[in-house]
Amino acid sequence: MGALRLPSLALLLSPCKSLRLRPSTLKAAATVSGGAGSRGLSSQSLAKEESSLSPPSADRKPSSSYEGSVTPRSVDFNAWYLDVIASAELADYGPVRGTMVIRPYGYAIWEAIQEYLNVKFKETGHSNMYFPQFIPYSFIEKEASHVEGFSPELALVTIGGGKELEEKLVVRPTSETIVNHMFTQWIHSYRDLPLMINQWANVTRWEMRTKPFVRTLEFLWQEGHTAHATLEEAEKEALQMIDVYKKFAYEQAAIPVIVGRKSRAETFAGAIRTYTIEAMMGDRKALQAGTSHNLGQNFSRAFGTQFTDENGQRQHVWQTSWAVSTRFVGGIIMTHGDDAGLMLPPRIAPIQVIVVPIWKTADEKNGVMNAVSSLKEVLHKAEIRVKIDDTEQRTPGWKFNFWEMKGVPLRIEVGPRDVANKSVVVSRRDIPGKPGKDFGISMEPSVLVTHIKSRLEEIQTSLLQRAISFRDSNIVDVNSYNELKEAIAGGKWARGPWSAGDAEEVKVKEETGATIRCFPFEQPQGQKKCFMTGNPADEVAIFAKSY
């Protein structure tokens, strides 16, 4: 029996009032309740479906399938994004509204992110471990700003084993509280510091307006947690880790993020400072792609996490936490994709080269398949991720389009004439049509490997440079509030001097929909005057609408 298909990712991941869970209606062995998050963003393409009170119809077909074409990016960016996820087989629908199943191809991109970061974390002295998923509610309550910041998003377990629990359990939205509980047991002396760990885990934030990969009820991430003897050590750690994220974004994902410090209003609940990498997506909205927090002593004071210093005095530890998540997969899609579908930077592409054999007769098939098998072996030995599409149910043209949709950086085409000439045709994903094709590339191993590696590096560089040009052409320098409003209304990012307070920041958000994304580390020189108040300003801030 075939799997039941639901209508669309847009409908599944949007709030449907008739299906919202209420704690009083849940009668399962373990009951979970959640509050609607306030950070979700509704796109125009979701508006009609989000207003529906009816559950999805099982006989409705998905909004698009690979057999058709995806919605053009310029027509409806959100519909395009959902079409690409479905057609490129990155994710599918979870049975609980607001969740998703990450399919093998999508998970392989996440694995590439993991592999790079795992090495960097260990190079910087961190060890992987694991903390429980369930956290006593009393832990969350110990740090006031933390519980205030997360309470709208908490999922609570109230029944277990058929009995009402004596204390509610929180399904972790993040792990600072339980980490501190354990750090208090492990840290006694300055000799136990620094303590630097990381975990790869899932977290739950009960948000009703969701977007696949970007914002879902449950998502995957890594979260690093460290404890130090001094504020200076904690600050150095927080800056070091945001730099690791920046290098990953530039060097692996080809996403030119802007690195900076969050405003007070946007700082992580419980932190004294939050650093961020902000990325511009193809629709010019901002994506917070990773954060690193200097927690100061807020959590160590709440939990009594202390150590005896070299002078025999008891001190509270200084802490950090930092994370990136599967949101990065969404960022890669929205930064590089085009009307043909996904476009993956070679360094994180699960498949770097797809080989498409072409034949008509049985004799031609034997010769072509022998050649492509040899090609695959040569490229595999050169540590190039390569796959042969030798299925006979589809035409070569269908395969070309399919693997373009999947974002594979390079395609090798091999037909009978190529075998006779001992050469191949190599096509680039980032340059459509004949301009992106290299004809007559020798099958001789050293020549072929050199050519393929060179092209992969060219594509990696090209995607980054293209994204940099797009970002820089869509940032506007402003010197007045009216200029900011014009820039935001035009879909741009606005950059201008800022020294105003929280009230003015709220006003900007209410009147324009934009928030301060960060105060960039790279600041212009010279005297500045706040465009909102006219007072002197030490820094410029970047404002944008965001996911």
Side-chain angles (χ1 to χ4, degrees), residues 85 88-92 100-115 200-202 213 219-221 326 329 333 342 344 348-350 406:
I85 288 174
E89 301 175 331
L90 300 176
D92 212 327
M100 67 174 178
V101 176
I102 304 175
R103 299 184 66 177
Y105 197 65
Y107 197 84
I109 299 172
W110 176 237
E111 285 182 314
I113 296 171
Q114 287 180 300
E115 288 168 6
W200 295 91
N202 63 332
F213 287 111
F219 55 90
L220 304 180
W221 74 350
T326 39
V329 178
I333 299 168
L342 192 60
L344 293 175
I348 60 169
K406 302 271 277 187

Side-chain angles (χ1 to χ4, degrees), residues 27-332:
K27 303 297 184 181
T31 303
V32 179
S33 64
S38 58
R39 297 179 299 167
L41 184 65
S42 173
S43 70
Q44 291 180 351
S45 67
L46 292 177
K48 183 177 180 181
E49 290 177 319
E50 287 179 345
S51 65
S52 172
L53 297 180
S54 302
S57 170
D59 58 3
R60 267 188 66 192
K61 293 185 180 297
S63 58
S64 73
S65 67
Y66 177 65
E67 299 294 338
S69 59
V70 300
T71 304
R73 275 194 0 158
S74 59
V75 172
D76 188 327
F77 190 88
N78 189 70
W80 166 84
Y81 176 75
L82 299 176
D83 287 349
V84 169
I85 288 174
S87 297
E89 301 175 331
L90 300 176
D92 212 327
Y93 323 116
V96 175
R97 184 171 296 270
T99 66
M100 67 174 178
V101 176
I102 304 175
R103 299 184 66 177
Y105 197 65
Y107 197 84
I109 299 172
W110 176 237
E111 285 182 314
I113 296 171
Q114 287 180 300
E115 288 168 6
Y116 175 91
L117 291 178
N118 241 338
V119 170
K120 297 303 178 184
F121 294 161
K122 291 172 183 177
E123 286 178 352
T124 49
H126 305 87
S127 300
N128 285 336
M129 61 176 301
Y130 185 79
F131 292 88
Q133 184 177 13
F134 298 115
I135 300 171
Y137 188 76
S138 59
F139 283 17
I140 299 292
E141 293 181 301
K142 283 189 177 183
E143 212 290 321
S145 62
H146 194 65
V147 67
E148 181 181 354
F150 278 97
S151 59
E153 301 173 349
L154 296 181
L156 305 177
V157 178
T158 59
I159 298 174
K163 297 180 180 180
E164 190 82 24
L165 298 178
E166 292 184 7
E167 180 179 1
K168 294 177 291 188
L169 300 178
V170 174
V171 185
R172 63 173 169 231
T174 181
S175 298
E176 280 76 12
T177 58
I178 194 167
V179 165
N180 263 274
H181 175 77
M182 301 311 300
F183 276 11
T184 299
Q185 300 179 44
W186 300 338
I187 297 171
H188 306 287
S189 161
Y190 69 90
R191 297 182 182 87
D192 300 320
L193 299 173
L195 180 53
M196 304 194 296
I197 59 94
N198 172 70
Q199 73 166 342
W200 295 91
N202 63 332
V203 291
T204 298
R205 296 180 184 176
W206 205 271
E207 300 181 89
M208 296 306 296
R209 292 193 173 184
T210 53
K211 187 179 184 73
F213 287 111
V214 174
R215 194 182 301 284
T216 49
L217 265 63
E218 178 191 10
F219 55 90
L220 304 180
W221 74 350
Q222 59 74 210
E223 51 177 321
H225 298 273
T226 66
H228 305 269
T230 67
L231 171 62
E232 291 73 21
E233 289 177 13
E235 180 70 3
K236 182 179 178 181
E237 166 75 5
L239 291 171
Q240 172 184 247
M241 301 320 294
I242 204 66
D243 188 59
V244 168
Y245 294 158
K246 172 191 173 183
K247 288 178 179 177
F248 167 77
Y250 271 89
E251 297 173 6
Q252 302 295 311
I255 298 178
V257 294
I258 293 177
V259 190
R261 186 188 77 257
K262 284 288 189 182
S263 68
R264 183 170 58 185
E266 296 291 325
T267 294
F268 176 75
I272 60 174
R273 273 186 294 279
T274 289
Y275 301 110
T276 182
I277 53 173
E278 299 288 327
M280 182 182 289
M281 300 293 95
D283 60 352
R284 298 180 294 187
K285 287 191 176 74
L287 184 77
Q288 179 181 288
T291 51
S292 180
H293 316 290
N294 185 335
L295 302 176
Q297 294 178 314
N298 290 342
F299 286 93
S300 65
R301 290 186 183 279
F303 282 81
T305 314
Q306 295 179 292
F307 70 101
T308 302
D309 66 17
E310 295 182 20
N311 299 318
Q313 301 298 312
R314 295 291 287 170
Q315 306 283 352
H316 288 93
V317 299
W318 300 83
Q319 293 176 266
T320 75
S321 66
W322 27 272
V324 298
S325 73
T326 39
R327 167 176 283 209
F328 232 115
V329 178
I332 291 164

